[in-house]
Amino acid sequence: MTHFADCARSIRTTIIENEWIAKDTRRIRFLAPEMAASVVPGQFFMIRNPAGNDPLIGRALALYNRSPAPQPISSQSPAPPVDHDRSPPAAAGWIDLVYLVKGKLTSSLAKLRPGSDIAVWGPLGNGFPAAPVDHLVMVAGGIGQTPFLTLAQEALGNAKFGDAGNRPMGYTPQVSLCYGARSQEYLAGLEDFERAGVELHIATEDGSRGIHGRVTLPLEQLLQNEQRSGKSVRVVCCGPEPMMEAVAELAARYAVPCQVSLETPMACGIGICFTCVAKVGTTADWDYKRTCVEGPVFDAAEILWH
């Protein structure tokens, strides 16, 4: 059986940007043209600071955004004219990852500056299915919005993904993001989602922006509305496990298909260490599945949360 890890690459590359985008939250951009050309929405990368061995293992971070490398110019095509008055274009073939600065490794990453080296292996995992639907509803809690920007770009027909762009695109006319956080200062990347054409539905626990309460409140409102409209809906979810369990229960109640992207801690990312297993199946017939190779995206109905 071929696993997604079989197609992964391991590189040492250069950081282009490493910026704050919300409280305790940074976006890191690095050059990786081959990875950018093959990654699909929902996959992830293992990343570590190669300057030391503490911590030794890497950290799994979901793809947030990417710029594919430019297509090579045919030798029979005339070279484009050089405009010496213009600044050089930004490097293509980059990948963006978003991370929360809260531990030893991410604190180390936060200190790295453009031009520094970074060790990366990936892309890893199975990614989200590209399934046609009338309304794709993405549900995020905490840092869980990170897998969804590229999914929205693909679903709305703004970008192609996969080797040679072999994934379908433009398979839904409407994408919403239900995004919950402790307060508005933790909301990261809202402008990116708005530029992609995503409808935002915000919930904060302190009421500083959007609905005062949990992210399941705007989600249930959307599901109720679409149940009355007769539109087909698919839910995808990422965030803290109790939130994902609550979202899975709501989706089941409204008979809506739901996929969850698990945030199980990983050590190797390639299925060797078995530290990231999740219980999948039914209470009578279940098995452990490795989040890094059989996931991180699973059908919510298959997850045994307890």
Side-chain angles (χ1 to χ4, degrees), residues 4-5 32 46 59 61 91 97 101 103 116 118 170 186 256 261-262 299:
F4 298 98
M46 297 294 292
R59 177 72 180 271
L61 298 175
L97 308 177
V101 182
S116 301
I118 194 77
Y186 288 97
V256 168
S261 179
L262 300 185
D299 188 325

Side-chain angles (χ1 to χ4, degrees), residues 130-137 155 171-174 231-235 257:
V133 69
D134 294 331
H135 190 176
L136 177 64
V137 179
Y171 46 80
T172 181
Q174 185 178 8
K231 291 182 181 178
S232 62
V233 178
R234 178 163 66 100
V235 171

Side-chain angles (χ1 to χ4, degrees), residues 72-154:
I73 299 174
S74 168
S75 59
Q76 299 179 355
S77 302
V82 177
D83 186 347
H84 296 286
D85 295 326
R86 294 184 60 188
S87 301
W94 48 257
I95 286 172
D96 279 352
L97 308 177
V98 171
Y99 62 99
L100 196 63
V101 182
K102 66 174 185 178
K104 184 177 290 187
L105 183 119
T106 51
S107 296
S108 171
L109 291 179
K111 297 175 183 177
L112 297 179
R113 297 293 176 259
S116 301
D117 284 353
I118 194 77
V120 184
W121 56 104
L124 300 163
N126 58 355
F128 292 105
V133 69
D134 294 331
H135 190 176
L136 177 64
V137 179
M138 309 180 300
V139 187
I143 199 73
Q145 87 286 5
T146 53
F148 295 141
L149 180 61
T150 52
L151 179 62
Q153 293 168 351
E154 178 185 73

Side-chain angles (χ1 to χ4, degrees), residues 31-38 66-72 90-95:
L31 280 172
E34 290 184 338
M35 292 178 175
S38 62
R66 72 91 165 91
S67 169
Q71 295 297 315
W94 48 257
I95 286 172

Side-chain angles (χ1 to χ4, degrees), residues 280-295:
V280 178
T282 67
T283 52
D285 183 17
W286 61 270
D287 197 2
Y288 284 118
K289 299 284 187 176
R290 293 166 295 176
T291 302
C292 62
V293 291
E294 280 102 9

